[in-house]
């Protein structure tokens, strides 16, 4: 840890979003329509007794911030109780399509951005408190977040970053000492739960929905101002904004979004609520709510109970939904890019980038790197069927395959027992069973194909271990960490935070955190199913 780090309350914030874009100073936090602005300046509402629960050492060090004691001015600032002079807190105004329907004005209903910090490498990072109290965009809700959802956002943001997935980050998790009432199962049984606030961090939290709302409301000068702000600060390589630059910018958003979704598919992440207000203009994973990780491989799986009837945001739908969302963003940008052909080319770039990136990632996961053969396309396609019918745990399957691949490549052991062992270790359907025939047939083809690789078995193993994480934030582990934190035990939360920072390392002392999901967690709420109510 650097000696020069400063306490959070002693940092100098800058405020480019507020200084460069049109907004208002909110007279109060009464919910309302706020036409004509990009944001409302609004202060966080103080909480009863803020206390630091968790801290991201790596991110803090990068930003030059020292770990605060459990209570005190730094934690007060991370809870919104103390607003430092250089901060100009604001809630952004945006809209969005929710589950395919245009929802009009949404906006930051419980997130308040404090300002921006300059990191060690001179990059700029916006600090946003989620759960900081009501804003003009809170609609009928309270502006707060519960500990349950805050633990999930905090852990997953940092775990995704460590996996190499483009994502917003999380600096701190602070308990508020207040209770927040939530109807977790939407069954008319609201319960008080402990409240919390996550300080999340990204270059900007601008979403597709910011642009959509401006175009829908015919606020074209704000549309242009926001586009120019985003391009000049976050896409400076594109040059001075012009019609051609707006077009190239949209193409770059399409490219980045494709790369992000390919990452999700590669690690088995299901976002759960890919509404256009939850799509970052920087191609970052944003708004961790009812997300989940594939355990038994199932393309139709979604963790979000709100989506159980339609499965709109199920695992295998994500590439298609991201494209649909990009089409909505493209529509919103037509006042800036009247030439629709350019927008269509960008959407095509999304498709080609996604396909190429996903294939590339799957090749690395399978250790097929040194040659490309005509039969590879079918081999890569067919794996999904075997994994599905055999109910393979996605993370365990690929990790264990990494260890088995050298023996298959070098024919040092008989194959069939290796396959059977792999299935026994990673499947949720017991061996022997005829359901495994599809996967066994695929494994035999894969073993054949490995023979053509020119790399050594050891090189294949090392490459695969770097592409197939051992540790992901399994849904039931997050839930266990939450239940412990709710009764004051932060040990599992902090242990997960440590282990998930190095997800590709063996860390044998933490083996049980890489285990198959236990049977009791199969249907347990919070582990298998999540609602948007957080
Ligand atoms: P989400 O589904 O979390 O992306 O939220 C959709 C919209 O609802 C956003 O405008 C949020 O700011 C708002 N929202 C969600 N929860 C709350 C809450 N507890 N209080 C105020 N606004 C909320
Ligand atoms: Mg959201």
């Amino acid at each position: 840890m650097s000696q020069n780090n400063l306490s959070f309350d002693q940092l100098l914030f800058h405020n480019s979003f507020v200084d460069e874009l049109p907004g208002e100073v909110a007279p109060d936090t009464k919910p309302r329509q706020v036409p004509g602005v990009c944001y409302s300046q609004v202060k966080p509402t103080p909480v009863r007794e803020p206390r630091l629960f968790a801290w991201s050492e790596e991110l803090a060090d990068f930003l030059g911030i020292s770990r605060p004691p459990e209570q005190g001015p730094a934690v007060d600032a991370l809870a919104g109780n103390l607003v430092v002079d250089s901060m100009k807190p604001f809630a952004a105004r945006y809209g969005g399509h929710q589950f395919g329907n245009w929802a009009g004005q949404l906006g930051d209903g419980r997130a308040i951005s404090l300002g921006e910090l300059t990191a060690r490498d001179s990059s700029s990072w916006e600090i946003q408190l989620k759960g900081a109290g009501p804003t003009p965009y809170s609609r009928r809700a309270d502006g707060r977040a519960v500990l349950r959802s805050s633990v999930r956002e905090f852990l997953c943001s940092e775990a995704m970053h460590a996996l190499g997935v483009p994502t917003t980050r999380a600096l701190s998790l602070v308990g508020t000492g207040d209770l927040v009432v939530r109807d977790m199962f939407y069954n008319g049984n609201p319960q008080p739960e402990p409240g919390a606030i996550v300080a999340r961090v990204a270059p900007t939290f601008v979403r597709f929905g910011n642009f959509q709302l401006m175009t829908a409301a015919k606020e074209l000068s704000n549309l242009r101002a926001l586009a120019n702000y985003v391009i000049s600060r976050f896409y400076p390589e594109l040059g001075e904004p012009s019609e051609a630059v707006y077009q190239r910018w949209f193409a770059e958003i399409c490219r980045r979004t494709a790369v992000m979704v390919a990452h999700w598919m590669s690690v088995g992440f299901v976002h759960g609520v890919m509404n256009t207000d939850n799509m970052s203009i920087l191609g970052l994973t944003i708004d961790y709510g009812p997300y989940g990780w594939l355990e038994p491989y199932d393309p139709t799986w979604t963790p979000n109970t709100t989506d159980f009837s339609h499965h709109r945001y199920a695992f295998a739908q994500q590439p298609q939904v991201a494209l649909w969302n990009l089409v909505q963003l493209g529509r919103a940008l037509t006042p800036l890019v009247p030439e629709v052909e350019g927008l269509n080319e960008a959407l095509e770039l999304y498709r080609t980038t996604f396909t190429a990136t996903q294939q590339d990632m799957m090749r690395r996961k399978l250790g097929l790197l040194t040659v490309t053969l005509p039969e590879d396309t079918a081999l890569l396609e067919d794996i999904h069927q075997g994994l599905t019918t055999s109910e393979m745990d996605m993370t365990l399957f690929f990790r264990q395959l990494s260890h088995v691949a050298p023996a298959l490549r070098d024919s040092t052991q008989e194959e069939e027992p290796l396959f059977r062992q792999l299935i026994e270790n990673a499947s949720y359907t017991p061996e022997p069973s005829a359901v495994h025939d599809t996967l066994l047939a695929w494994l035999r083809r894969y073993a054949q194909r490995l023979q053509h690789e020119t790399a050594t078995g050891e090189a294949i193993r090392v490459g695969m271990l770097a592409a197939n994480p051992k540790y992901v934030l399994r849904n039931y582990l997050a839930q266990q960490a939450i239940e412990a934190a709710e009764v004051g035990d932060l040990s599992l939360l902090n242990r997960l935070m440590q282990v998930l920072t190095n997800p590709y390392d063996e860390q044998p002392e933490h083996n049980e955190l890489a285990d198959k999901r236990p049977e009791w967690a199969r249907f347990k709420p919070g582990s298998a199913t999540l609602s948007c109510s957080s």
Side-chain angles (χ1 to χ4, degrees):
M1 200 172 68
S2 163
Q3 297 297 311
N4 307 326
N5 286 348
L6 292 175
S7 179
F8 186 76
D9 57 303
Q10 286 165 3
L11 298 164
L12 189 64
F13 287 80
H14 50 107
N15 302 278
S16 69
F17 197 86
V18 170
D19 291 344
E20 294 177 25
L21 291 167
E24 60 147 26
V25 177
D28 55 46
T29 59
K30 264 212 299 290
R32 62 197 154 91
Q33 294 293 309
V34 194
V37 303
C38 293
Y39 60 84
S40 299
Q41 281 185 258
V42 57
K43 290 213 162 52
T45 304
V47 296
R48 197 171 67 91
E49 200 188 0
R51 208 174 265 280
L52 184 69
F53 282 0
W55 181 250
S56 173
E57 208 66 65
E58 193 218 340
L59 176 59
D61 213 28
F62 172 63
L63 294 172
I65 310 173
S66 55
R67 186 192 182 102
E70 195 184 1
Q71 292 186 291
V75 173
D76 290 345
L78 289 163
N81 282 20
L82 170 68
V83 175
V84 173
D85 282 347
S86 60
M87 293 173 180
K88 295 181 187 169
F90 69 92
R93 174 173 171 259
Y94 54 82
H97 279 90
Q98 298 185 314
F99 297 93
N101 303 307
W102 176 243
Q105 177 184 292
L106 296 166
D108 287 330
R110 56 168 165 174
I112 295 180
S113 285
L114 299 176
E116 299 135 33
L117 293 174
T118 307
R120 293 196 179 283
D121 66 356
S122 303
S123 53
S124 173
W125 296 81
E126 189 174 312
I127 312 292
Q128 183 175 81
L129 303 184
K130 186 162 173 180
T135 77
Y137 309 99
S138 298
R139 296 178 292 157
R140 284 177 302 282
D142 57 9
R144 293 301 184 188
V146 293
L147 180 59
R148 157 170 66 87
S149 65
S150 306
V151 165
R152 287 170 49 81
E153 174 138 21
F154 177 80
L155 280 178
C156 202
S157 309
E158 291 304 281
M160 292 280 269
H161 171 73
L163 284 166
V165 183
T167 179
T168 62
R169 306 287 306 272
L171 173 67
S172 61
L173 169 68
V174 169
T176 60
D178 287 321
L179 292 174
V180 176
V181 176
R182 285 289 181 276
D183 187 356
M184 180 172 165
F185 303 112
Y186 295 130
N187 63 359
N189 260 323
Q191 300 286 331
E193 296 184 46
I197 294 175
V198 170
R200 48 181 199 179
V201 179
T204 178
F205 288 91
V206 172
R207 302 129 193 278
F208 291 8
N210 298 65
F211 298 94
Q212 285 185 282
L213 183 58
M214 280 164 194
T215 301
K218 302 202 166 48
E219 296 170 6
L220 299 188
S221 72
N222 283 353
L223 175 75
R224 189 175 296 273
L226 186 64
N228 293 355
Y229 171 82
V230 169
I231 292 170
S232 61
R233 289 189 67 86
F234 309 110
Y235 294 84
E237 66 282 3
L238 298 178
E240 285 294 305
S242 68
E243 197 177 312
V245 166
Y246 293 132
Q247 195 173 306
R248 290 212 297 279
W249 172 51
F250 181 59
E252 181 57 14
I253 297 165
C254 288
R255 195 193 63 75
R256 289 194 193 184
T257 304
V259 171
M260 172 188 79
V261 178
H263 273 281
W264 293 357
M265 303 311 284
S266 167
V267 295
F269 176 78
V270 188
H271 183 284
V273 57
M274 288 176 74
N275 294 331
T276 56
D277 55 306
N278 292 337
M279 298 289 294
S280 149
I281 206 70
L282 302 181
L284 305 173
T285 315
I286 191 173
D287 273 9
Y288 291 90
Y291 68 82
W293 295 82
L294 274 197
E295 288 176 315
Y297 194 87
D298 177 0
T300 69
W301 185 70
T302 173
N304 185 356
T305 50
T306 314
D307 195 23
F308 272 8
S309 46
H310 293 100
H311 288 245
R312 178 181 174 89
Y313 298 143
F315 179 62
Q317 294 299 317
Q318 298 187 118
Q320 208 44 48
V321 170
L323 178 60
W324 190 90
N325 289 342
L326 284 164
V327 170
Q328 308 316 314
L329 176 62
R331 291 215 169 108
L333 297 183
T334 48
L336 304 178
V337 188
E339 207 56 71
V340 177
E341 224 162 84
L343 297 174
N344 281 333
E345 271 169 35
L347 296 170
E348 191 51 35
L349 178 69
Y350 170 85
R351 289 193 195 89
T352 51
T353 306
F354 175 76
T355 306
T357 311
Q358 189 188 33
Q359 269 185 20
D360 187 53
M361 287 178 169
M362 187 54 98
R363 279 184 174 279
R364 284 200 283 143
K365 288 176 83 66
L366 294 173
L368 305 179
L369 288 177
T370 56
V371 284
T372 308
L373 300 180
E375 61 265 35
D376 287 356
T377 313
L379 187 74
L380 265 49
E381 294 254 302
D382 293 348
I383 188 174
H384 304 288
Q385 190 57 50
L387 292 179
T388 308
T389 50
S390 277
E391 283 201 297
M392 294 303 273
D393 183 282
M394 182 169 175
T395 309
L396 270 174
F397 171 78
F398 283 104
R399 187 71 181 183
Q400 302 229 341
L401 195 67
S402 318
H403 290 294
V404 172
L408 299 177
R409 159 71 178 74
D410 301 334
S411 308
T412 49
Q413 288 176 54
E414 230 190 298
E415 287 173 1
E416 286 303 304
L418 292 176
F419 296 158
R420 302 267 170 201
Q421 189 63 54
L422 177 65
I423 289 172
E424 183 161 327
N425 292 347
S427 171
Y428 290 93
T429 305
E431 247 280 288
S433 161
V435 303
H436 297 307
D437 290 351
T438 311
L439 183 60
L440 282 167
W442 184 88
L443 285 166
R444 290 181 199 114
R445 280 164 68 196
Y446 170 66
Q448 288 286 317
R449 170 60 184 80
L450 268 183
Q451 307 288 318
H452 296 281
E453 284 299 305
T454 56
T456 63
E458 181 54 15
I460 290 172
R461 192 178 74 92
V462 170
M464 287 175 74
L465 288 175
N468 295 313
K470 175 169 176 181
Y471 299 98
V472 296
L473 183 57
R474 289 175 181 276
N475 311 313
Y476 82 93
L477 291 174
Q479 184 59 21
Q480 285 183 319
I482 290 163
E483 286 172 15
E486 284 177 344
V487 294
D489 175 1
L490 302 171
S491 55
L492 182 56
L493 166 59
N494 284 303
R495 181 173 165 215
L496 283 172
M497 179 68 185
Q498 287 301 321
V499 174
L500 294 169
T501 304
N502 300 296
Y504 299 97
D505 293 355
E506 281 302 325
Q507 308 183 70
E509 66 281 20
H510 297 294
N511 271 347
E512 74 268 21
L513 299 180
D515 278 349
K516 216 191 281 186
R517 179 194 64 194
E519 200 45 37
W520 59 257
R522 188 177 269 254
F523 301 109
K524 187 176 158 57
S527 298
T529 58
L530 293 143
S531 71
C532 282
S533 164
S534 54

